[in-house]
Amino acid sequence: MAVKNKVNAAIIGTGYVGLSTAAAFASKGIRAVCVDVIREKVDMINRGKSPIFEKGMKPLLEAAVKKKLLSATTDIDAAVSDTDISFICVQTPSLPSGEIDLKYVKNAAAGIGKSLRDTGYRAVVVKSTVLPGTTENVVLPALENNSGKNLGSEFGLGMCPEFLREGCAVVDSLHPDRIIIGTNDRKSRDLIYGIYRRFDAPVLDVGIRTAEMIKYASNTFLAAKISLSNEIANICELYGIDVYDVMKGVGMDNRIGAQFLNAGAGFGGSCFPKDAKAVAYAARKLKYEPLIINALLEINERQAAHVVDLVQRAVGSLRDKRVALLGLAFKPETDDVRETRAVPIALGLLGRGAIVVAYDPRAMNNFSKESKLKGLRYADCAESALRDADCCVIQADWDEFRKIRPETFRKLMKRPIVVDGRRTFDPDKLTRAGVEYLGVGWKGNR
Ligand code: NAD
């Protein structure tokens, strides 16, 4: 089949992945029709307003909506019949056991399947992170059963994992490092390539199950890099060595690379924890005990407890001590609080009797809604969180926090102590300026 010049896409799910994908497609002249089950999100998008906070999303979305290259609807039928390819971008969270929850993917696939009944040939692409076999064993039957049609002659199927980073989702969607096209037949591949050929990125063609596994391999690899750096950090502290100096040297090795070596309070977010848990759970089901993945998850849990221990080391008993907790999103530049390390840190502090006053530039609403932490107090700015505090913990290194001057800590806090979970500050500079500093992997932790 020749690669089509004009191609339109339905994007099912308008979260971080779906909306960024739609906006990136629209910027390349592809008409994107977004579908969501949440009416408010759909209405916001049609007004050119982003339901999520992402740098660069606002102008891109506004321009795309104005040019009528991007629209949103709750009507999946209309979106699927009006476009050539449907991308499934819905969430795949963890169940309490760690197992992947596929209910959103199943619903989306059933919805697309029903919509396929009265259309000509269409392709369906899974972009959500799913375990090997899911596209063929879960999505495909849902499409076939609900449409009464057959894969191959009547519709196509593919799996293109997404690698964007929240906080830079727009840049990553416009300029991906690589594009993985997972298909098992030429016709589907060519239709999907008709979209991705517009992006200046290397394309890797693989089978569907390989594409699914590439995503898990990438995420567990990156999570392992972070957890290994955290383990080295904890050992460095015992030696009185600064882990950031160590990792600078390590990262200069081309075989390793400098990224994801920053020690800290551990990783959170909607991907690393749930994907590592999902693949570990699946491996166990296949009678393989995933030792490295188990360890990287356990080290990650310990890091939050380590931060709480550092606070106690600095101030002694935490009972009735006031602690400012800065940064509630799982990382800076996002309002996403899924699996944020702020939760175990806050729980650890509250559990030892501290009064915790929290602040985040963007994630306060999401955090209070999602975490429902009893007893946590919220401040409307960093300064009011710091007022009269015995200690300040930094969980997400927003630029706004980096700009806090040492005299602000000295002036506002009962005692100026910073426990830095993200190496937000230069420890030497802060110490010289009269602020006590403790941080993950810092040689001077007392
Ligand atoms: P999200 O929770 O932000 O968004 C999912 C959206 O899908 C929500 O708006 C929800 O209302 C909508 N939805 C659910 N069921 C639907 C249905 N049947 N029809 C239409 N809409 C429906 O999720 P996300 O963070 O964008 O992640 C989506 C997938 O991409 C997940 O599998 C995730 O693991 C993967 N992923 C996420 C990131 C990331 O950084 N967030 C990066 C790479 C891959």
Side-chain angles (χ1 to χ4, degrees):
M1 187 179 110
V3 170
K4 272 181 72 172
N5 259 333
K6 198 123 187 70
V7 60
N8 304 315
I11 311 291
I12 319 301
T14 63
Y16 294 87
V17 168
L19 195 60
S20 307
T21 301
F25 284 1
S27 78
K28 304 282 178 191
I30 298 156
R31 195 166 54 81
V33 183
C34 300
V35 181
D36 210 290
V37 285
I38 301 176
R39 177 93 247 165
E40 293 78 20
K41 286 193 178 191
V42 165
D43 291 344
M44 276 183 88
I45 295 168
N46 284 329
R47 290 200 306 272
K49 300 253 175 292
S50 174
I52 51 165
F53 170 69
E54 267 299 334
K55 212 169 24 191
M57 180 61 85
K58 195 170 173 262
L60 202 64
L61 191 61
E62 274 171 8
V65 171
K66 208 164 161 195
K67 285 188 199 153
K68 301 204 181 321
L69 280 168
L70 193 152
S71 59
T73 177
T74 52
D75 183 351
I76 193 165
D77 264 351
V80 173
S81 68
D82 192 31
T83 54
D84 305 285
I85 311 187
S86 297
F87 287 83
I88 299 180
C89 301
V90 300
Q91 64 271 50
T92 49
S94 302
L95 291 167
S97 60
E99 186 181 5
I100 186 170
D101 182 355
L102 287 175
K103 77 166 170 274
Y104 302 96
V105 169
K106 285 180 186 164
N107 284 342
I112 297 172
K114 283 182 200 139
S115 314
L116 287 176
R117 278 182 204 158
D118 304 317
T119 65
Y121 183 91
R122 299 282 188 275
V124 180
V125 178
V126 177
K127 225 178 194 325
S128 298
T129 302
V130 292
L131 286 161
T134 308
T135 302
E136 289 158 295
N137 302 331
V138 177
V139 174
L140 176 57
L143 294 173
E144 285 186 328
N145 294 340
N146 285 286
S147 66
K149 290 191 168 175
N150 295 314
L151 173 64
S153 55
E154 294 179 295
F155 69 89
L157 186 65
M159 200 281 155
C160 297
E162 176 56 56
F163 300 99
L164 65 78
R165 296 161 299 169
E166 280 178 33
C168 14
V170 169
V171 173
D172 288 351
S173 301
L174 291 171
H175 309 285
D177 282 347
R178 79 295 208 187
I179 288 155
I180 307 291
I181 301 187
T183 50
N184 295 346
D185 71 287
R186 186 77 204 182
K187 195 171 171 182
S188 308
R189 188 265 171 202
D190 284 347
L191 192 53
I192 298 168
Y193 184 66
I195 290 215
Y196 283 115
R197 71 187 175 84
R198 293 152 210 256
F199 290 82
D200 184 20
V203 171
L204 181 68
D205 282 302
V206 293
I208 287 179
R209 286 157 61 93
T210 306
E212 291 168 327
M213 195 63 194
I214 286 172
K215 177 64 191 174
Y216 282 97
S218 297
N219 271 3
T220 46
F221 201 102
L222 293 172
K225 252 183 128 176
I226 296 171
S227 275
L228 183 57
S229 300
N230 280 334
E231 182 148 276
I232 304 276
N234 299 342
I235 299 169
C236 280
E237 282 181 33
L238 300 172
Y239 272 114
I241 297 169
D242 184 359
V243 75
Y244 276 69
D245 293 340
V246 170
M247 288 306 169
K248 206 176 199 175
V250 172
M252 287 165 85
D253 187 328
N254 279 334
R255 294 167 304 176
I256 297 172
Q259 294 191 54
F260 287 80
L261 295 182
N262 290 344
F267 56 78
S270 68
C271 293
F272 288 177
K274 85 159 168 71
D275 292 346
K277 282 178 206 162
V279 78
Y281 184 95
R284 259 177 243 121
K285 283 262 165 201
L286 294 168
K287 306 259 177 292
Y288 179 83
E289 195 53 45
L291 298 181
I292 293 184
I293 301 176
N294 291 344
L296 73 86
L297 284 166
E298 194 180 327
I299 291 169
N300 200 51
E301 287 310 314
R302 281 203 227 152
Q303 284 312 100
H306 182 52
V307 169
V308 177
D309 285 343
L310 287 177
V311 178
Q312 181 148 354
R313 208 180 294 178
V315 303
S317 162
L318 289 177
R319 181 137 311 276
D320 297 328
K321 295 276 167 49
R322 192 177 160 109
V323 180
L325 175 58
L326 301 188
L328 301 173
F330 83 92
K331 67 173 184 180
E333 307 303 331
T334 182
D335 57 354
D336 197 343
V337 299
R338 288 177 281 188
E339 296 273 356
T340 173
R341 297 294 84 196
V343 170
I345 292 173
L347 277 172
L349 294 168
L350 291 166
R352 294 187 201 182
I355 299 157
V356 184
V357 187
Y359 169 72
D360 187 283
R362 293 274 176 183
M364 302 266 275
N365 281 346
N366 283 351
F367 190 84
S368 63
K369 229 171 26 199
E370 300 294 326
S371 72
K372 297 188 182 74
L373 279 186
K374 284 210 182 81
L376 190 70
R377 299 184 191 176
Y378 293 93
D380 54 9
C381 62
E383 284 70 21
S384 62
L386 289 171
R387 200 171 300 284
D388 293 327
D390 296 276
C391 182
C392 165
V393 176
I394 301 187
Q395 190 287 135
D397 50 338
W398 287 87
D399 260 351
E400 184 178 319
F401 303 152
R402 208 166 274 118
K403 288 182 192 143
I404 301 173
R405 300 165 66 81
E407 45 277 29
T408 306
F409 290 118
R410 288 204 316 264
K411 217 165 64 195
L412 292 178
M413 295 175 70
K414 214 177 276 168
R415 193 173 141 198
I417 305 174
V418 170
V419 171
D420 195 348
R422 301 291 174 194
R423 197 55 69 95
T424 317
F425 293 101
D426 178 333
D428 289 320
K429 271 196 196 155
L430 214 56
T431 310
R432 274 200 305 273
V435 177
E436 290 180 52
Y437 183 96
L438 286 89
V440 176
W442 167 233
K443 63 183 172 193
N445 289 349
R446 296 154 306 138

